[in-house]
Amino acid sequence: MSAAKFSSAQAPPAAPASVRVRAPGKINVSLRVGPLRADGYHGVASVYLAVSLFEEVQATVTESPGITVTVDSDGALQVPVGGIPLGPDNLAARAAQALASFAEKPTGVHLHITKRVPVAGGMGGGSADAAAALVACDALWNTHLSREELAGIAAGLGADVPFSLLGGTAVGLGIGDRLTPAISKTPLHWVLVASDSGLSTPAVYRALDALRTEEQLQAEEPVEVDSAILAAMRSGNARDLAAVMSNDLQAAALRLAPELADLRSAGVRLGALAGMVSGSGPTIAFLAEDSGAATALEAALRAEGHRALAVEGPVSGARLLPAVVG
């Protein structure tokens, strides 16, 4: 069947009045950090993996101009949302505002965010909200931007936002925003454990710089991804990956939140192949042998009082959800 065509006398399909988009959180399966640069950033070489823990944004056209935001949460990790900004500083609101300049007739929009990814947890939850807002407002405002064009806007919002659009598995260079998709077709199974408090990403980077100064360590430049990580991801062999996954920010996160060391040890004791701080932390990602092992590890960690959730990856990036009928 051929695609529908519209004559000059016909109007294109009307934009929807409300859409829902979900976007995944991520794990940094490998994260290498270069020295502090003159511009205040660190060069990184990261292997990103999008996992099946999704933020959801419902975007609705409003009669009044401007962008408004509300937030709630649901899901097994019981994400607290009290400290999330609801004004123009919210990253999803910033994403919508950035997209508005590309729309012929941008309307007012209300963004309702359902949080499931830990806040300030090293999993890119705010970046997922921004990616979801870009996709949602693109649909509401009929901007018809390509994924590449949306990714260009995303890069101006934060280092992790382009990956939240892309999803899957990718190598991230620069400050993490220069992405190259990587092959990883076999699902990998993880258990995430959320912390009761978040960690500031800038504070973790500052702690890393301080540790390197104290220990007289010289960071590599240019920073590169370990080929063994990519080989393990391609093979889908969890044991091979457990032997090589690493995070240069982990020592800094453990300095700021030393209780995480005991949590990592508990996960391995209960059956994880390996455990690692995700990104800047404090969420811990435990790698499991397979789906059954992840389910058993989730139950064991919950029995010891931890907020644990079994997930898998890779999964797709930000996507429109079907309209709710009825």
Side-chain angles (χ1 to χ4, degrees):
M1 182 179 294
S2 62
K5 296 182 179 180
F6 299 94
S7 71
S8 58
Q10 292 177 304
S18 183
V19 296
R20 293 183 304 136
V21 177
R22 73 176 192 178
K26 56 83 182 172
I27 293 171
N28 296 84
V29 177
S30 173
L31 179 57
R32 289 183 165 182
V33 180
L36 181 64
R37 305 187 317 199
D39 63 3
Y41 289 95
H42 296 74
V44 303
S46 178
V47 179
Y48 290 109
L49 179 69
V51 296
S52 56
L53 180 61
F54 297 96
E55 300 281 86
E56 187 173 315
V57 172
Q58 180 161 351
T60 304
V61 171
T62 59
E63 293 183 1
S64 57
I67 299 162
T68 57
V69 178
T70 52
V71 180
D72 66 9
S73 69
D74 65 21
L77 295 184
Q78 305 167 25
V79 176
V81 298
I84 296 175
L86 301 180
D89 289 339
N90 183 281
L91 195 54
R94 287 173 52 201
Q97 188 63 55
L99 187 69
S101 62
F102 293 83
E104 185 177 343
K105 294 181 179 179
T107 63
V109 65
H110 177 73
L111 303 174
H112 182 72
I113 302 169
T114 300
K115 299 290 297 179
R116 300 185 182 99
V117 176
V119 177
M123 290 191 64
S127 297
D129 297 337
L134 287 175
V135 172
C137 291
D138 178 66
L140 286 185
W141 296 335
N142 270 338
T143 52
H144 301 298
L145 296 186
S146 67
R147 280 282 162 155
E148 290 74 18
E149 289 169 322
L150 289 176
I153 300 171
L157 295 166
D160 291 340
V161 184
F163 178 70
S164 297
L165 278 172
L166 177 66
T169 307
V171 172
L173 300 177
I175 59 171
D177 58 329
R178 285 166 29 209
L179 297 175
T180 302
I183 297 172
S184 178
K185 295 182 179 179
T186 304
L188 291 162
H189 299 275
W190 305 78
V191 176
L192 307 173
V193 179
S195 174
D196 290 334
S197 58
L199 282 176
S200 159
T201 297
V204 175
Y205 274 96
R206 287 194 297 271
L208 173 65
D209 292 334
L211 278 170
R212 286 174 168 173
T213 299
E214 291 170 16
E215 299 174 9
Q216 297 183 333
L217 297 175
Q218 185 66 39
E220 295 180 10
E221 186 65 43
V223 60
E224 298 177 345
V225 168
D226 185 349
S227 60
I229 292 281
L230 297 177
M233 298 291 287
R234 282 194 299 270
S235 72
N237 187 307
R239 289 190 175 274
D240 287 350
L241 181 59
V244 294
M245 60 193 237
S246 64
N247 179 3
D248 283 358
L249 291 179
Q250 180 165 274
L254 293 180
R255 166 172 279 198
L256 296 175
E259 68 277 6
L260 297 179
D262 291 337
L263 175 55
R264 284 182 63 227
S265 298
V268 173
R269 170 175 53 82
L270 294 171
L273 297 178
M276 185 173 65
V277 171
S278 177
S280 58
T283 305
I284 300 289
F286 292 105
L287 180 59
E289 179 84 42
D290 52 30
S291 177
T295 299
L297 178 59
E298 175 193 72
L301 284 162
R302 286 188 181 184
E304 293 197 357
H306 301 292
R307 289 184 287 136
L309 179 67
V311 298
E312 67 177 35
V315 299
S316 62
R319 293 291 183 273
L320 283 166
L321 293 173
V324 177
V325 178

